[in-house]
Amino acid sequence: MNISWMILVAGQSGTMTGVVMAFMALPMILFSIVVPKYYCQHSPRKIVFISTLVTIPGILFVLFSLQLNGYQLFLMLMGLVLLGSGLGGLVSQSAMIVSCTLNSRDAAQASGIQCSVRNIWQATAVSIVGSVLLFSSSTLFKSAMLHASVAPQAKEYIQAQPVIGFMSNTDFIKEMQQANFSVDDTRVSLLLYKETRMESAQYALGILIILVFLHIPGFFAIPTQGWEEKLIVECDEEKQDEF
């Protein structure tokens, strides 16, 4: 959603969008490496909770950074850094949480299943957030146009469209011109579209926060003993069994 907003709404190039998104990617890579290496003795449950508590403010920073014609750069970068840091902490624990609950033979087989399930749920979550972004934008805009001071023909045209796509201001103006909207109707429609587009993005990010919160009850099943301590205990038990 961030990439779509940066390119379509803010009008950024692909290169600039990649630079901005690096503020999320780099912390995610860094924390996914550093946390298992230097904090493996800490409680996995604590790490997951802290990572989640970092992720949620990151989403809020991104939400409040949105503007009608783009975004506030500082808030967006702060949000992306927090998101990347939180995701890195979560990623660092996910594989071990599943693997360490199984014996060594089943753990090897579970890695592929775990990866598949994670990809499926990730795709599902993306589709949920994307659907909210698209369909709420269309619904809110149609509702706003019903009460707008535009020509009846303009209202009828908007209501007849199955979906008003998520598009840039330039593409929206072109579509209104092709529908023979007057200059005043196009101006009013564009302003309403900007407002409802931002509102729908805020709804989508709100849904993302809810999806994050839905995972929290499952965190209480995560082990509280650090992986390093757990591995030492298991090695001692294996030695005793061999003896």
Side-chain angles (χ1 to χ4, degrees):
M1 198 203 81
N2 280 357
I3 294 174
S4 299
W5 191 271
M6 291 175 188
I7 293 176
L8 294 177
V9 180
Q12 287 184 180
S13 65
T15 302
M16 184 60 187
T17 300
V19 170
V20 174
M21 292 304 296
F23 280 80
M24 183 179 75
L26 294 178
M28 182 167 64
I29 295 171
L30 177 64
F31 277 89
S32 64
I33 295 173
V34 170
V35 172
K37 184 174 179 62
Y38 296 104
Y39 297 94
C40 57
Q41 73 278 11
H42 290 274
S43 165
R45 183 188 297 177
K46 182 194 297 185
I47 293 174
V48 169
F49 267 113
I50 293 174
S51 299
T52 303
L53 292 177
V54 171
T55 301
I56 293 173
I59 301 173
L60 291 174
F61 270 110
V62 173
L63 189 153
F64 289 118
S65 75
L66 301 181
Q67 297 176 343
L68 291 180
N69 294 308
Y71 59 90
Q72 208 283 329
L73 182 60
F74 177 75
L75 290 178
M76 176 64 78
L77 294 181
M78 284 291 296
L80 292 176
V81 169
L82 290 174
L83 274 171
S85 303
L87 290 172
L90 290 168
V91 168
S92 70
Q93 303 298 305
S94 61
M96 290 290 287
I97 288 171
V98 175
S99 300
C100 288
T101 58
L102 303 170
N103 58 55
S104 57
R105 179 175 61 85
D106 292 334
Q109 298 175 353
S111 60
I113 299 173
Q114 179 191 181
C115 182
S116 299
V117 171
R118 184 170 62 243
N119 290 339
I120 291 170
W121 175 231
Q122 182 178 5
T124 302
V126 169
S127 66
I128 292 172
V129 174
S131 297
V132 171
L133 177 67
L134 176 61
F135 293 111
S136 66
S137 174
S138 181
T139 302
L140 291 171
F141 178 62
K142 287 184 176 183
S143 177
M145 284 293 288
L146 283 175
H147 307 285
S149 55
V150 295
Q153 295 84 354
K155 295 182 179 182
E156 292 175 2
Y157 174 81
I158 294 299
Q159 300 304 318
Q161 303 305 306
V163 176
I164 306 297
F166 189 86
M167 65 186 87
S168 66
N169 296 343
T170 303
D171 291 338
F172 181 84
I173 292 172
K174 288 180 180 179
E175 185 169 325
M176 296 303 101
Q177 290 175 342
Q178 291 174 358
N180 296 322
F181 276 37
S182 67
V183 175
D184 289 339
D185 287 349
T186 300
R187 177 179 54 80
V188 173
S189 301
L190 178 61
L191 178 60
L192 291 175
Y193 182 72
K194 290 179 182 179
E195 292 174 351
T196 54
R197 182 177 58 189
M198 187 172 74
E199 190 176 352
S200 66
Q202 293 170 341
Y203 280 136
L205 290 170
I207 292 296
L208 180 57
I209 293 175
I210 292 174
L211 292 175
V212 173
F213 272 111
L214 289 176
H215 288 78
I216 291 179
F219 294 168
F220 291 98
I222 296 174
T224 57
Q225 186 181 12
W227 304 125
E228 189 175 79
E229 297 173 359
K230 181 179 176 61
L231 291 173
I232 292 173
V233 171
E234 288 179 349
C235 288
D236 291 340
E237 290 177 350
E238 289 178 0
K239 289 179 180 179
Q240 290 177 2
D241 292 340
E242 291 176 0
F243 181 76

